[in-house]
Amino acid sequence: MNFLRTLVGKLWITIICLVAFVLLSVGLFFLPYIDTNFTNPGAVKKLFLIVSMIGFSLTTFFALFLITKITQPMQQLIQATDSVRKGKYDTRLSLRTSDEIGVLSNTFNHMAEELEKTIRSLNHEKEHLASVLRSMNDAVITLDGNGYVILTNPPGERILQMWSDLPEAEAEVTETVHGSMQKIPTPLLEMFRRLQDEQGDQSVNVHVKKGVWSVHMAPLASDGGIRGAVAVLRDVTEEVQLEKMRRDFVANVSHEIRTPLSMMQGYSEALLDGMAASPEESAELVQVIHDESLRMGRLVRDLLDLARMEAGHTDMTMREMDFRELAERVYRKFLVRAKETDIILQLELGEGPLDLQEANEDRLEQVLTNLLDNAFRHTPEGGTIAIGAETENGPKGALLHVSVKDSGVGIPADDLRFVFDRFYKADKARVRGESGGTGLGLSIVKNIVDSHNGSIYAESEVGKGTVFHMLLPVEKQQ
């Protein structure tokens, strides 16, 4: 039944029908004259029968010949084409004939070879592109024309997970056409719409969850239209913060230096103009100029120290020291100031040795001095300041836990993470310079603690006081 549906089968049936029609037509036409005109009509009928059998035999032989030359090669070609369709691009035909079937076979082999080369090149390009995307530190997110994510690299996937809990800008139906594909993140939605309207590259800084990302989005063109977009995202939070710190630093330094310079200039002009009516007034003006010059000298010295520390050019001789002796010495030094300001100063040292195998005693004294100076300046009369130190176990060995606690005005929770920044002022009501500070003390403290492989942090509650905790490794660090 299958043979009769093939081209050769249909051709064979057609030839048989044609031969049968001719023979029957001839036979029916001559049959009335056979009995009258021929002496042996049986021999004539026998002749017609033999001729019919020979005709049918020849057509059958011709059909078998066509099957061998046409049908079988065509079946092989169909099977080879189906194999290529299924992805077996190494399929080849072994037909070696000089007719059209052979030409078709050679053409198919050439086509399959070129197709295999093309697919191999595409796979290599795809692998190369995937390797490039995986090796990029920047996040890459590819979108289709409807704003659904179709391709990301690992950093892009992390950003999508990070932004997954953001509120959606509009309702989305993901069950119809796009299945479970992820919608474009909300921070990039407006940028994607603007790209579709303007059909050009878009660049903008996106602020999400206290972070800043620089986003460059380029369209994917196809047939004169836009079929999607590629967004490259880079985390520039640190760069933005550093730039803000640089601007604030320049502004703060200018302000801090301008104030004593203005006062020195004003009082010196008053002396030159003879505005002092008595030697006492002259001495008072000179004393103000001297105090302001000392304050500006402290500011310049602190700036230089901080710059050297941050650049790693500060030489500190590390040796074994007894922190108990240092704490007692600093305590005695500030007892006089505590009595003058009517503040209770306490020393709470733990039992046992408080030794550090590798530390710089002068720098740690500077740390305690700065912390206590801040505590005294922000603690009212009748308040309490306590110096504490004890040894405790940490995840990487023994630690010396040093604390400076005061009962002062406290620091707001939003300001705690900025207290170690240069020139940061937690008390917004305090005018710079009125309390004698340069605004760099805590920054210097943090750099000294970091150079000792330690850590420092603050805990505070407004109206109840502040505690600065310093953790220093007891054993020598490799």
Side-chain angles (χ1 to χ4, degrees), residues 158-167 185-187 205-213 235 237-238 241 417:
R158 287 194 293 269
I159 287 183
L160 291 178
Q161 294 177 359
M162 188 188 311
W163 293 355
S164 60
D165 57 346
L166 295 176
T186 303
N205 283 350
V206 178
H207 297 258
V208 183
K209 293 183 176 181
K210 298 182 181 181
V212 184
W213 278 266
D235 189 354
T237 304
E238 185 176 356
Q241 291 177 349
R417 61 193 182 100

Side-chain angles (χ1 to χ4, degrees), residues 103-150:
V103 175
L104 180 61
S105 175
N106 293 332
T107 304
F108 175 84
N109 290 338
H110 181 70
M111 179 196 68
E113 183 179 357
E114 293 297 326
L115 182 61
E116 184 180 10
K117 291 180 180 178
T118 303
I119 297 298
R120 188 183 298 112
S121 299
L122 291 176
N123 289 333
H124 289 168
E125 290 295 330
K126 183 179 179 180
E127 293 174 359
H128 178 69
L129 178 60
S131 299
V132 172
L133 289 177
R134 286 194 301 268
S135 63
M136 289 179 63
N137 293 325
D138 297 339
V140 178
I141 301 176
T142 306
L143 309 169
D144 63 7
N146 296 314
Y148 286 86
V149 178
I150 58 178

Side-chain angles (χ1 to χ4, degrees), residues 229-266:
V230 176
V232 180
L233 299 86
R234 175 177 298 176
D235 189 354
V236 295
T237 304
E238 185 176 356
E239 288 84 344
V240 172
Q241 291 177 349
L242 289 176
E243 179 63 21
K244 183 179 182 301
M245 289 176 59
R246 185 190 65 81
R247 292 195 300 266
D248 294 343
F249 178 74
V250 173
N252 289 325
V253 168
S254 301
H255 175 76
E256 293 288 348
I257 293 180
R258 184 173 63 246
T259 301
L261 282 178
S262 299
M263 296 185 68
M264 291 171 62
Q265 181 180 358

